[in-house]
Amino acid sequence: MIEPKIITNAFSRLHATINAAVARIHPFVLFVSCVGIALAYYVGIYATGQIHAASRWMGAMLSCTSVITVLQVPSYREALRPAWMRVLGTFLGALIAYVYLKLLPFSVLGMLLTVFMLEALCMILNIYNNGRIATITLVIIMLVSQLSPDADPATNCTLRFFESAVGVGVGVALRWTIEKWQALRQRLLHMGEGEAGERVNMDTMPLRWGHFRVLIVASLGQITGAALSTLVGVVLPLMQILTHSDLKPLQQGVLASMSLVGIMVGSVVIGARSDKRGYLRYLRLSPALILLGAIIAISSSSLITLAVALFVMGFGVGGGYSLDSDYVSEIMPRRWRLFMVGVVKASSAVGNVVMAFVCYYILGHWTTADHWNGMFLLVALMAVVMLLSAIRFEQSPGWLLSQGRREEAERAARYFLGQDVELGEAATTEGVSVWSLFRRESLRRTILCGLPWACEGYAVYGVGVFLPVLIMSLGLGRGEAGTIAHATSSVHLAAYVNLFVAAGFAAGLMAIRRSFNLRQQSVGFVVAALGLVLLMVGYALHLPRWTMIAGLALFELFINAGPHLMTFILPSQVYPIAERGAGAGVAAAAGKAGAVAGVFTIPLLLGWGGAEMVMAVTLALQLLGAAVTATLGRELLHSKPNADAA
């Protein structure tokens, strides 16, 4: 029988090996490489493809190959001369190919002859080692002449030279970008460093790269959650149009609410368990669950399977929601905590906007739109990025310190922020049960954090998920009802309306350190309600289309500048560290309960009373949220016991 110690040691070695392997991954470099290849691809497809469409795929391949070849050079300075030599060699290759094709048609012997001549010329000019792209360019020119015998040799050679040169230029620019980023990162790593041996306090130190790293990783969960809710709103009408024409309002509500039910359950379960067992394991578990759910959704298009997949994805997102603000509020310097927690929440606007525009692009270029479940591949990719980021993470120093594990907390703080960092202050406490949040003083905190979040959640997710459907119901979409063109038009308008989500978050962040937070939340509720009033009046009186769009824009602007931002921040302000994970989880669960109610009831409300009833119910809940915030909030925050959360 194998001894437990041997098994433990084996798992420890495996864990260390995985960590070392993942540590070699540089997400920024991967992102920049993908951007470069995308730019090169679009040059071939859309820039030169407009001139000679038949060769656009060859052009895209050549341009991408040039980018990849240049990025293999280890530094920007080392890339400059080889890049110039590649451009020169490519020009010579295009010139030789032009002369040949002007005189003779394509043949294998002719292609070999031109390659021989080009490589011999590169050897004579001492640019042979940098001439591989030149040879690739020449071969592609010759192959294009075979695929399109009527292609003008001058056009063929000029386009291929341009594509190769652009690819080389993009590669050099990206190599420069990577080096500048690495230099900036090094400066940020050591910002505010004390003189030899001097320590800096975690609570009062300046911002460093470690703070931004935590901010980025915490924001990924918010971005993914918002992207998922936007995607569900796009997928539902596609399902009804393409594969499930008999989908009833109740079924729509159930499907739309499943991810939010998952978020609600996940935020409570993982929030409570993370207070007792630490944040890190659940920070890693959450994206793994999102990835699992996305794979299930991609592999099957049945309603039951999709409902299960949405719940699993939502559970993972909810786990992240309960941890994101915890990590940020416990690692940031005291003066930046409130603002940075707000930035994490505001990052969800990126998920809304990007997913909406990506879905619009996909719908506009899809030839097999009935494969709607393939769109969940986008969520799977985001989950992979989250998982890779979480593997290279550490336990929260604040949580470790609250458990009395000071030595581990010091190691974690140094891992995130640098070897010269010393811990700030934190109370040594035990974790709490979820039920204790509903007793005495904690109950008031729970009501303040939870009930307005539920009212806001109804509006943000109810209206947000069904925004394309509401746009169609309000008559704001273009095209014939019940067609892909109508759905695509509605998604297009929804994407532009979602820009006001980002604008609202930006406005809220600018005001967050200058205004009283509860007033910002109350005013946001009230003005968002006024936007709904404008929308209802415009619809009832058949006012111009822009009037209703203005109402939607006003609603999105202020619901996100006020309650959508502030409800996420409040738990980190009013709960002590011992209750923070559970408190944030319960508050997030309340918010998602409101969201579930929204997405579940809105299809029913549309059937019972149309868009007017949807707007009326949403309006009433926003006024309720404003009333609770105004009456309970100020008194409670003035008497809060945890000064460290401010």
Side-chain angles (χ1 to χ4, degrees):
M1 183 175 179
I2 301 176
E3 295 183 9
K5 185 177 180 180
I6 297 176
I7 297 175
T8 302
N9 290 338
F11 274 110
S12 297
R13 288 195 297 272
L14 178 62
H15 184 262
T17 302
I18 293 173
N19 279 347
V22 174
R24 292 192 288 270
I25 298 174
H26 297 282
F28 181 78
V29 175
L30 298 178
F31 174 75
V32 169
S33 299
C34 291
V35 169
I37 292 173
L39 290 174
Y41 170 82
Y42 287 119
V43 165
I45 296 298
Y46 293 110
T48 62
Q50 295 293 324
I51 300 172
H52 189 235
S55 65
R56 65 187 186 277
W57 299 111
M58 284 289 196
M61 180 180 70
L62 176 59
S63 193
C64 291
T65 303
S66 300
V67 171
I68 294 167
T69 303
V70 173
L71 286 177
Q72 290 177 337
V73 180
S75 71
Y76 166 70
R77 290 189 178 276
E78 292 179 57
L80 286 177
R81 188 176 185 280
W84 161 244
M85 293 296 102
R86 287 188 180 95
V87 173
L88 176 60
T90 300
F91 173 77
L92 295 175
L95 181 62
I96 291 172
Y98 171 73
V99 172
Y100 176 88
L101 292 173
K102 199 69 177 174
L103 299 174
L104 298 168
F106 171 85
S107 68
V108 175
L109 181 61
M111 181 173 65
L112 297 177
L113 176 63
T114 55
V115 169
F116 180 89
M117 293 174 59
L118 173 62
E119 298 213 349
L121 183 58
C122 288
M123 290 176 182
I124 292 170
L125 297 175
N126 197 27
I127 60 172
Y128 178 72
N129 290 335
N130 300 307
R132 302 303 182 185
I133 290 296
T135 304
I136 293 171
T137 304
L138 184 146
V139 170
I140 288 179
I141 290 172
M142 299 297 287
L143 293 176
V144 168
S145 70
Q146 169 71 350
L147 293 172
S148 304
D150 298 331
D152 177 45
T155 300
N156 183 8
C157 295
T158 301
L159 290 180
R160 302 299 83 86
F161 168 71
F162 172 76
E163 290 152 358
S164 179
V166 166
V168 170
V170 169
V172 171
L174 293 178
R175 175 54 61 193
W176 177 86
T177 302
I178 290 170
E179 287 198 10
K180 290 298 181 183
W181 161 250
Q182 296 291 4
L184 174 62
R185 182 174 175 272
Q186 287 301 316
R187 287 199 297 271
L188 289 172
L189 280 171
H190 302 289
M191 187 174 291
E193 210 170 49
E195 298 184 5
E198 186 179 344
R199 313 288 284 180
V200 293
N201 188 278
M202 187 175 168
D203 285 339
T204 58
M205 68 184 296
L207 291 175
R208 290 183 178 175
W209 164 242
H211 295 112
F212 291 107
R213 179 186 173 194
V214 171
L215 182 70
I216 292 168
V217 173
S219 298
L220 289 175
Q222 297 293 324
I223 293 171
T224 303
L228 176 60
S229 68
T230 300
L231 180 59
V232 170
V234 173
V235 163
L236 283 175
L238 286 180
M239 291 173 57
Q240 194 165 24
I241 293 171
L242 297 169
T243 58
H244 295 83
S245 56
D246 57 344
L247 196 64
K248 296 178 174 57
L250 182 61
Q251 293 173 310
Q252 290 184 50
V254 170
L255 283 174
S257 64
M258 286 308 296
S259 64
L260 297 172
V261 171
I263 292 174
M264 179 177 66
V265 176
S267 60
V268 172
V269 173
I270 292 181
R273 293 185 68 82
S274 66
D275 280 336
K276 297 179 180 179
R277 306 190 66 179
Y279 302 163
L280 184 59
R281 68 177 65 187
Y282 298 105
L283 189 73
R284 294 169 176 170
L285 175 63
S286 295
L289 290 173
I290 297 171
L291 179 59
L292 174 62
I295 292 172
I296 294 172
I298 294 167
S299 61
S300 175
S301 59
S302 75
L303 296 182
I304 295 177
T305 305
L306 179 60
V308 172
L310 289 171
F311 177 84
V312 173
M313 284 186 279
F315 193 96
V317 170
Y321 280 3
S322 68
L323 298 172
D324 296 339
S325 62
D326 296 344
Y327 261 106
V328 172
S329 64
E330 293 173 21
I331 289 178
M332 291 293 164
R334 187 178 290 114
R335 67 187 294 262
W336 286 102
R337 286 174 189 169
L338 182 63
F339 180 79
M340 290 303 190
V341 171
V343 170
V344 170
K345 184 59 184 177
S347 66
S348 63
V350 177
N352 289 125
V353 174
V354 172
M355 182 60 80
F357 277 104
V358 168
C359 288
Y360 171 68
Y361 175 84
I362 291 173
L363 290 176
H365 293 80
W366 239 354
T367 55
T368 55
D370 53 321
H371 298 308
W372 49 264
N373 54 331
M375 298 176 78
F376 285 99
L377 178 62
L378 299 169
V379 178
L381 292 174
M382 298 172 74
V384 169
V385 174
M386 290 176 63
L387 185 57
L388 290 175
S389 301
I391 290 175
R392 299 179 61 186
F393 231 53
E394 261 295 345
Q395 190 63 266
S396 167
W399 181 84
L400 289 169
L401 194 58
S402 73
Q403 303 297 304
R405 296 157 63 177
R406 188 173 187 86
E407 185 177 342
E408 294 177 66
E410 289 172 347
R411 284 200 301 269
R414 290 194 293 269
Y415 173 83
F416 283 116
L417 304 174
Q419 296 302 311
D420 60 336
V421 173
E422 64 180 9
L423 289 172
E425 298 178 359
T428 302
T429 55
E430 299 292 331
V432 300
S433 69
V434 171
W435 302 114
S436 67
L437 300 177
F438 295 91
R439 299 172 188 162
R440 297 182 181 177
E441 184 68 21
S442 292
L443 177 61
R444 298 165 66 201
R445 296 192 193 105
T446 303
I447 294 173
L448 172 64
C449 295
L451 187 54
W453 201 337
C455 295
E456 165 267 312
Y458 186 98
V460 168
Y461 285 91
V463 174
V465 168
F466 285 101
L467 186 56
V469 176
L470 288 171
I471 286 172
M472 287 187 276
S473 299
L474 291 165
L476 299 176
R478 308 289 190 187
E480 184 181 350
T483 63
I484 289 292
H486 192 211
T488 302
S489 171
S490 301
V491 172
H492 190 203
L493 180 55
Y496 281 104
V497 171
N498 275 325
L499 290 176
F500 288 92
V501 175
F505 276 129
L509 287 173
M510 287 190 291
I512 199 171
R513 301 180 73 181
R514 302 178 183 178
S515 67
F516 182 51
N517 303 142
L518 292 168
R519 184 182 300 115
Q520 185 172 332
Q521 180 165 305
S522 299
V523 170
F525 271 126
V526 171
V527 182
L530 292 177
L532 294 175
V533 170
L534 178 60
L535 178 60
M536 293 170 65
V537 170
Y539 181 67
L541 300 181
H542 305 289
L543 296 179
R545 184 170 178 259
W546 66 264
T547 307
M548 289 183 281
I549 295 175
L552 273 175
L554 188 65
F555 165 77
E556 293 288 4
L557 186 66
F558 279 89
I559 198 72
N560 290 290
H564 197 190
L565 178 62
M566 296 313 305
T567 51
F568 186 77
I569 291 173
L570 281 180
S572 64
Q573 288 187 286
V574 303
Y575 284 108
I577 287 178
E579 297 180 352
R580 194 168 292 160
V586 168
K592 292 308 169 284
V596 169
V599 297
F600 183 78
T601 60
I602 280 180
L604 301 175
L605 294 174
L606 282 170
W608 295 336
E612 287 176 306
M613 181 170 285
V614 172
M615 296 301 106
V617 172
T618 307
L619 171 63
L621 289 173
Q622 303 321 289
L623 296 177
L624 174 62
V628 172
T629 303
T631 55
L632 183 61
R634 181 183 294 270
E635 176 189 350
L636 183 58
L637 277 189
H638 281 181
S639 62
K640 65 181 175 28
N642 53 314
D644 71 297

